[in-house]
């Protein structure tokens, strides 16, 4: 059974940092894509970042480019999202999701429909 668990959220002041973790199980580390999405109350779900193991590439939304970094540790079956210079606008529930279909998604990484499996989400609150 494929499972993903997001963790690491919490309360942080503007300008601070958090590192989110997505621990996955039920599939191998050879060919997958792990995406991070976020959703604030009353807002659409937004694709934040994606790591593709087959491509060895990372993707970022314009709103987080230069502030967030995605990385993967296959030995620990974990994908991380390092979030620096946090802003109040980053406040949301953050979800990780997996695409195991095989072909690289390319430009489609930011579409939630591309992902078959989702974690439960972790709340990030940026406030003074």
């Amino acid at each position: 059974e494929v499972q993903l668990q997001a963790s690491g959220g919490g309360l942080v002041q503007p300008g601070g940092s958090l590192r989110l973790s997505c621990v996955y199980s039920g599939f191998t580390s050879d060919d997958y894509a792990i995406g991070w999405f976020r959703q604030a109350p009353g807002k659409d779900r937004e694709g934040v970042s994606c790591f593709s193991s087959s491509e060895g590439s990372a993707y970022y939304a314009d709103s987080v480019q230069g502030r967030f970094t995605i990385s993967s540790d296959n030995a620990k079956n974990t994908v991380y999202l390092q979030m620096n210079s946090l802003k109040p606008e980053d406040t949301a529930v953050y979800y990780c999701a997996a695409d195991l279909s095989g072909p690289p998604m390319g430009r489609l990484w930011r579409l939630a429909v591309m992902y078959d499996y989702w974690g439960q989400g972790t709340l990030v609150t940026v406030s003074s």
Side-chain angles (χ1 to χ4, degrees), residues 98-122:
D99 168 42
L100 311 180
S101 64
M105 291 183 292
R107 72 167 72 90
L108 304 178
W109 70 268
R110 64 179 68 244
L111 301 180
V113 70
M114 300 298 298
Y115 299 84
D116 299 310
Y117 306 97
W118 292 80
Q120 82 286 358
T122 184

Side-chain angles (χ1 to χ4, degrees), residues 64-83:
V64 306
Q65 184 76 44
R67 298 188 297 121
F68 292 9
T69 303
I70 194 169
S71 62
S72 177
D73 187 340
N74 287 346
K76 297 182 178 180
N77 289 345
T78 303
V79 172
Y80 302 97
L81 184 67
Q82 179 67 46
M83 307 187 298

Side-chain angles (χ1 to χ4, degrees), residues 38-45 89-93 95 123-125:
R38 66 187 182 186
Q39 188 165 26
K43 302 289 186 178
D44 293 334
R45 185 174 297 179
E89 305 92 276
D90 296 317
T91 296
V93 176
Y95 302 88
L123 176 62
V124 172
T125 302

Side-chain angles (χ1 to χ4, degrees), residues 32 51-59:
Y32 69 86
F51 177 80
S52 172
S53 67
S54 59
E55 300 175 58
S57 58
Y59 303 91

